[in-house]
Amino acid sequence: MNSAAPLLSVRGLNAWYGESHALHGVDLDVFPSETVTLLGRNGVGKTTTLRAIMGLIRKRTGRIDFDGKDLMRLPLHRTAHAGIGFVPEERGIFATLTVDENLILPPVVAPGGMSVEEIFDLFPNLKERRNSPGTKLSGGEQQMLAIARILRTGVKVLLLDEPTEGLAPVIVQRIGELLAALKKRGMTVLLVEQNFRFASRVADRFYLMEHGKVMAEFPVGELNERMTLLHDVLGV
Ligand SMILES: Nc1ncnc2c1ncn2[C@@H]1O[C@H](COP(=O)(O)OP(=O)(O)O)[C@@H](O)[C@H]1O
Ligand SMILES: [Mg+2]
């Protein structure tokens, strides 16, 4: 097991949209250099968990500790600066800006981020398209750009919300290779995925969510013995 302290630790996280109670006590840990996957059916609260960690949902209770900082006490604009990068499902590429411009726009928050040249080594297809505007990129290129531009900022952990959604198998494969390369570099990743097969290739550990909380946790080595549970809970 992992003897280091978690880089990100979430305890008893509750979150609300107005009066609607979406998270009911989420507990999870992400250790340094781990890739952890949050699994669960549509609507169980995976995206809400990432948004609440980022501080994008302010109506929340519980504990979120990241790299020695109490995130519950930080205002939204300080969360990214604490070293957490969020790649939302909708990717948020600036449509009229080129690949180059999208890459250099997010500010560097900490030393240790990748240079644009290092990023292009990892994403040769983005290099070829460096002068193309966001609108001209395919879904897969947009997803890669959304991840790539966060890598420049020096964040210590990446929160990725369904990066493979709606992408062709060959692009999903590319994103898998990319996550493997990031893991090799020691990046810490909290990945939300519905594509369970994809997740099983990149994750060290899994959390299974149901009804706004985590209902099971297991390492990738236990995947086979957990298959019945996964089929039941995910309906796949
Ligand atoms: N902006 C919102 N306003 C109100 N309810 C929301 C909003 N976003 C999500 N929800 C609700 O919160 C619950 C969790 O949603 P979400 O975190 O998006 O689930 P998942 O990412 O696991 O599919 C769902 O019941 C969903 O309908
Ligand atoms: Mg979601």
Side-chain angles (χ1 to χ4, degrees), residues 32 44 52 59 66 75 86 89 93 109 119 124-125 129 132 143 148 160 165 168 182 196 200 218-219:
V44 296
K59 198 169 174 187
F66 172 68
F86 177 41
E89 216 175 341
I93 297 304
V109 298
I119 287 171
N125 57 319
R129 316 243 23 213
S132 302
Q143 184 61 57
L160 301 180
E165 206 201 5
L182 293 182
F196 169 64
S200 67
F218 55 92

mmCIF file of all heavy atoms in Angstrom, residues 32 44 52 59 66 75 86 89 93 109 119 124-125 129 132 143 148 160 165 168 182 196 200 218-219:
data_model
loop_
_atom_site.group_PDB
_atom_site.id
_atom_site.type_symbol
_atom_site.label_atom_id
_atom_site.label_comp_id
_atom_site.label_asym_id
_atom_site.label_seq_id
_atom_site.Cartn_x
_atom_site.Cartn_y
_atom_site.Cartn_z
ATOM 1 N N PRO A 32 0.466 10.856 -4.150
ATOM 2 C CA PRO A 32 1.365 11.434 -5.165
ATOM 3 C C PRO A 32 1.663 10.431 -6.280
ATOM 4 O O PRO A 32 1.951 9.254 -6.002
ATOM 5 C CB PRO A 32 2.634 11.770 -4.375
ATOM 6 C CG PRO A 32 2.181 11.930 -2.967
ATOM 7 C CD PRO A 32 1.023 10.995 -2.785
ATOM 8 N N VAL A 44 -24.503 10.369 -10.630
ATOM 9 C CA VAL A 44 -24.170 9.971 -9.249
ATOM 10 C C VAL A 44 -23.346 11.023 -8.503
ATOM 11 O O VAL A 44 -23.197 10.940 -7.287
ATOM 12 C CB VAL A 44 -23.409 8.615 -9.169
ATOM 13 C CG1 VAL A 44 -24.275 7.477 -9.680
ATOM 14 C CG2 VAL A 44 -22.086 8.681 -9.896
ATOM 15 N N ALA A 52 -16.678 20.537 -6.797
ATOM 16 C CA ALA A 52 -16.629 20.928 -5.376
ATOM 17 C C ALA A 52 -15.180 20.999 -4.889
ATOM 18 O O ALA A 52 -14.820 21.879 -4.111
ATOM 19 C CB ALA A 52 -17.444 19.958 -4.532
ATOM 20 N N LYS A 59 -21.423 25.927 -2.144
ATOM 21 C CA LYS A 59 -22.277 25.387 -1.093
ATOM 22 C C LYS A 59 -21.833 23.946 -0.826
ATOM 23 O O LYS A 59 -22.314 22.995 -1.448
ATOM 24 C CB LYS A 59 -23.749 25.458 -1.518
ATOM 25 C CG LYS A 59 -24.714 25.333 -0.356
ATOM 26 C CD LYS A 59 -26.136 25.673 -0.751
ATOM 27 C CE LYS A 59 -27.099 25.386 0.398
ATOM 28 N NZ LYS A 59 -28.500 25.540 0.004
ATOM 29 N N PHE A 66 -5.288 19.645 0.376
ATOM 30 C CA PHE A 66 -4.460 19.453 -0.806
ATOM 31 C C PHE A 66 -3.072 20.008 -0.544
ATOM 32 O O PHE A 66 -2.931 21.208 -0.273
ATOM 33 C CB PHE A 66 -5.083 20.150 -2.024
ATOM 34 C CG PHE A 66 -4.176 20.140 -3.213
ATOM 35 C CD1 PHE A 66 -3.884 18.950 -3.861
ATOM 36 C CD2 PHE A 66 -3.566 21.306 -3.649
ATOM 37 C CE1 PHE A 66 -3.012 18.925 -4.932
ATOM 38 C CE2 PHE A 66 -2.691 21.290 -4.721
ATOM 39 C CZ PHE A 66 -2.420 20.100 -5.372
ATOM 40 N N PRO A 75 -10.467 30.961 -1.300
ATOM 41 C CA PRO A 75 -11.420 31.456 -2.289
ATOM 42 C C PRO A 75 -11.160 30.787 -3.636
ATOM 43 O O PRO A 75 -10.048 30.305 -3.899
ATOM 44 C CB PRO A 75 -11.125 32.959 -2.354
ATOM 45 C CG PRO A 75 -9.739 33.116 -1.824
ATOM 46 C CD PRO A 75 -9.499 31.971 -0.868
ATOM 47 N N PHE A 86 -7.986 21.672 -13.512
ATOM 48 C CA PHE A 86 -9.271 21.037 -13.816
ATOM 49 C C PHE A 86 -9.506 21.106 -15.317
ATOM 50 O O PHE A 86 -9.443 22.182 -15.905
ATOM 51 C CB PHE A 86 -10.370 21.791 -13.062
ATOM 52 C CG PHE A 86 -11.776 21.303 -13.314
ATOM 53 C CD1 PHE A 86 -12.076 19.947 -13.393
ATOM 54 C CD2 PHE A 86 -12.811 22.217 -13.439
ATOM 55 C CE1 PHE A 86 -13.383 19.515 -13.606
ATOM 56 C CE2 PHE A 86 -14.121 21.793 -13.638
ATOM 57 C CZ PHE A 86 -14.410 20.447 -13.727
ATOM 58 N N GLU A 89 -15.460 18.680 -18.664
ATOM 59 C CA GLU A 89 -15.982 17.862 -19.750
ATOM 60 C C GLU A 89 -16.123 18.658 -21.047
ATOM 61 O O GLU A 89 -15.860 18.142 -22.130
ATOM 62 C CB GLU A 89 -17.358 17.369 -19.302
ATOM 63 C CG GLU A 89 -17.708 16.005 -19.741
ATOM 64 C CD GLU A 89 -19.042 15.579 -19.124
ATOM 65 O OE1 GLU A 89 -19.490 16.170 -18.120
ATOM 66 O OE2 GLU A 89 -19.633 14.652 -19.691
ATOM 67 N N ILE A 93 -12.008 25.187 -24.704
ATOM 68 C CA ILE A 93 -11.013 25.746 -25.633
ATOM 69 C C ILE A 93 -11.532 27.088 -26.161
ATOM 70 O O ILE A 93 -12.695 27.218 -26.510
ATOM 71 C CB ILE A 93 -10.791 24.762 -26.812
ATOM 72 C CG1 ILE A 93 -10.223 23.435 -26.303
ATOM 73 C CG2 ILE A 93 -9.883 25.374 -27.884
ATOM 74 C CD1 ILE A 93 -8.943 23.558 -25.512
ATOM 75 N N VAL A 109 1.297 28.629 -12.447
ATOM 76 C CA VAL A 109 1.018 28.809 -11.021
ATOM 77 C C VAL A 109 2.141 28.290 -10.131
ATOM 78 O O VAL A 109 2.218 28.631 -8.963
ATOM 79 C CB VAL A 109 -0.314 28.147 -10.605
ATOM 80 C CG1 VAL A 109 -1.479 28.773 -11.346
ATOM 81 C CG2 VAL A 109 -0.290 26.641 -10.802
ATOM 82 N N ILE A 119 5.651 20.025 -24.386
ATOM 83 C CA ILE A 119 4.250 19.672 -24.649
ATOM 84 C C ILE A 119 4.099 19.201 -26.092
ATOM 85 O O ILE A 119 3.449 18.187 -26.360
ATOM 86 C CB ILE A 119 3.328 20.867 -24.339
ATOM 87 C CG1 ILE A 119 3.224 21.042 -22.820
ATOM 88 C CG2 ILE A 119 1.940 20.667 -24.956
ATOM 89 C CD1 ILE A 119 2.522 22.286 -22.374
ATOM 90 N N PRO A 124 2.488 15.588 -30.685
ATOM 91 C CA PRO A 124 2.963 16.034 -31.999
ATOM 92 C C PRO A 124 1.830 16.522 -32.905
ATOM 93 O O PRO A 124 2.033 17.433 -33.723
ATOM 94 C CB PRO A 124 3.641 14.785 -32.579
ATOM 95 C CG PRO A 124 3.319 13.656 -31.660
ATOM 96 C CD PRO A 124 2.838 14.214 -30.372
ATOM 97 N N ASN A 125 0.647 15.967 -32.725
ATOM 98 C CA ASN A 125 -0.475 16.417 -33.561
ATOM 99 C C ASN A 125 -0.855 17.863 -33.263
ATOM 100 O O ASN A 125 -1.288 18.595 -34.153
ATOM 101 C CB ASN A 125 -1.675 15.485 -33.380
ATOM 102 C CG ASN A 125 -2.115 15.380 -31.935
ATOM 103 O OD1 ASN A 125 -1.274 15.298 -31.027
ATOM 104 N ND2 ASN A 125 -3.401 15.408 -31.699
ATOM 105 N N ARG A 129 -0.765 21.525 -35.688
ATOM 106 C CA ARG A 129 -1.929 22.392 -35.788
ATOM 107 C C ARG A 129 -1.760 23.673 -34.999
ATOM 108 O O ARG A 129 -2.746 24.334 -34.684
ATOM 109 C CB ARG A 129 -3.165 21.632 -35.296
ATOM 110 C CG ARG A 129 -3.248 20.223 -35.807
ATOM 111 C CD ARG A 129 -4.424 19.915 -36.674
ATOM 112 N NE ARG A 129 -5.032 21.033 -37.337
ATOM 113 C CZ ARG A 129 -6.318 21.117 -37.604
ATOM 114 N NH1 ARG A 129 -7.126 20.178 -37.257
ATOM 115 N NH2 ARG A 129 -6.797 22.171 -38.238
ATOM 116 N N SER A 132 -3.767 26.675 -35.958
ATOM 117 C CA SER A 132 -5.203 26.520 -36.228
ATOM 118 C C SER A 132 -6.020 27.080 -35.064
ATOM 119 O O SER A 132 -5.662 26.883 -33.907
ATOM 120 C CB SER A 132 -5.571 25.048 -36.378
ATOM 121 O OG SER A 132 -4.814 24.467 -37.405
ATOM 122 N N GLN A 143 -9.588 18.007 -26.857
ATOM 123 C CA GLN A 143 -9.365 17.355 -25.569
ATOM 124 C C GLN A 143 -7.876 17.364 -25.228
ATOM 125 O O GLN A 143 -7.483 17.652 -24.096
ATOM 126 C CB GLN A 143 -9.889 15.913 -25.603
ATOM 127 C CG GLN A 143 -9.796 15.197 -24.284
ATOM 128 C CD GLN A 143 -10.605 15.876 -23.185
ATOM 129 O OE1 GLN A 143 -11.801 16.064 -23.327
ATOM 130 N NE2 GLN A 143 -9.934 16.273 -22.121
ATOM 131 N N ALA A 148 -3.216 19.616 -22.425
ATOM 132 C CA ALA A 148 -1.869 20.154 -22.650
ATOM 133 C C ALA A 148 -1.676 21.515 -21.997
ATOM 134 O O ALA A 148 -0.649 21.779 -21.361
ATOM 135 C CB ALA A 148 -1.602 20.262 -24.154
ATOM 136 N N LEU A 160 -9.558 15.321 -14.326
ATOM 137 C CA LEU A 160 -10.009 15.172 -15.718
ATOM 138 C C LEU A 160 -11.422 14.613 -15.740
ATOM 139 O O LEU A 160 -11.664 13.516 -15.219
ATOM 140 C CB LEU A 160 -9.109 14.198 -16.488
ATOM 141 C CG LEU A 160 -7.628 14.522 -16.606
ATOM 142 C CD1 LEU A 160 -6.926 13.424 -17.413
ATOM 143 C CD2 LEU A 160 -7.429 15.859 -17.282
ATOM 144 N N GLU A 165 -14.972 11.055 -23.646
ATOM 145 C CA GLU A 165 -16.377 11.075 -24.041
ATOM 146 C C GLU A 165 -16.571 11.535 -25.484
ATOM 147 O O GLU A 165 -16.066 12.579 -25.896
ATOM 148 C CB GLU A 165 -17.162 12.001 -23.111
ATOM 149 C CG GLU A 165 -18.611 11.612 -23.043
ATOM 150 C CD GLU A 165 -19.483 12.758 -22.564
ATOM 151 O OE1 GLU A 165 -18.979 13.884 -22.377
ATOM 152 O OE2 GLU A 165 -20.685 12.509 -22.402
ATOM 153 N N ALA A 168 -13.538 8.964 -30.964
ATOM 154 C CA ALA A 168 -13.355 7.712 -31.708
ATOM 155 C C ALA A 168 -12.322 6.834 -30.989
ATOM 156 O O ALA A 168 -11.414 7.350 -30.332
ATOM 157 C CB ALA A 168 -12.865 8.023 -33.114
ATOM 158 N N LEU A 182 2.050 10.785 -18.859
ATOM 159 C CA LEU A 182 1.979 11.698 -17.708
ATOM 160 C C LEU A 182 2.285 10.959 -16.409
ATOM 161 O O LEU A 182 2.963 11.475 -15.530
ATOM 162 C CB LEU A 182 0.591 12.335 -17.614
ATOM 163 C CG LEU A 182 0.241 13.297 -18.740
ATOM 164 C CD1 LEU A 182 -1.137 13.897 -18.510
ATOM 165 C CD2 LEU A 182 1.291 14.400 -18.837
ATOM 166 N N PHE A 196 -15.065 2.283 -18.859
ATOM 167 C CA PHE A 196 -14.437 1.487 -17.846
ATOM 168 C C PHE A 196 -13.208 0.725 -18.372
ATOM 169 O O PHE A 196 -12.175 0.601 -17.726
ATOM 170 C CB PHE A 196 -15.534 0.552 -17.315
ATOM 171 C CG PHE A 196 -15.003 -0.505 -16.465
ATOM 172 C CD1 PHE A 196 -14.401 -0.188 -15.284
ATOM 173 C CD2 PHE A 196 -15.066 -1.809 -16.866
ATOM 174 C CE1 PHE A 196 -13.875 -1.153 -14.492
ATOM 175 C CE2 PHE A 196 -14.539 -2.787 -16.078
ATOM 176 C CZ PHE A 196 -13.951 -2.461 -14.890
ATOM 177 N N SER A 200 -9.418 1.095 -16.924
ATOM 178 C CA SER A 200 -8.680 -0.026 -16.351
ATOM 179 C C SER A 200 -7.257 -0.102 -16.913
ATOM 180 O O SER A 200 -6.387 -0.732 -16.326
ATOM 181 C CB SER A 200 -9.430 -1.334 -16.600
ATOM 182 O OG SER A 200 -9.432 -1.620 -17.978
ATOM 183 N N PHE A 218 -11.069 0.108 -4.644
ATOM 184 C CA PHE A 218 -10.216 -1.074 -4.839
ATOM 185 C C PHE A 218 -9.076 -0.751 -5.803
ATOM 186 O O PHE A 218 -9.197 0.122 -6.658
ATOM 187 C CB PHE A 218 -11.040 -2.262 -5.351
ATOM 188 C CG PHE A 218 -11.813 -1.987 -6.604
ATOM 189 C CD1 PHE A 218 -11.260 -2.250 -7.838
ATOM 190 C CD2 PHE A 218 -13.100 -1.470 -6.541
ATOM 191 C CE1 PHE A 218 -11.974 -1.979 -8.995
ATOM 192 C CE2 PHE A 218 -13.817 -1.210 -7.697
ATOM 193 C CZ PHE A 218 -13.254 -1.468 -8.926
ATOM 194 N N PRO A 219 -7.948 -1.477 -5.640
ATOM 195 C CA PRO A 219 -6.827 -1.282 -6.558
ATOM 196 C C PRO A 219 -7.075 -2.022 -7.872
ATOM 197 O O PRO A 219 -7.906 -2.937 -7.936
ATOM 198 C CB PRO A 219 -5.645 -1.890 -5.802
ATOM 199 C CG PRO A 219 -6.249 -2.920 -4.910
ATOM 200 C CD PRO A 219 -7.626 -2.453 -4.568
#
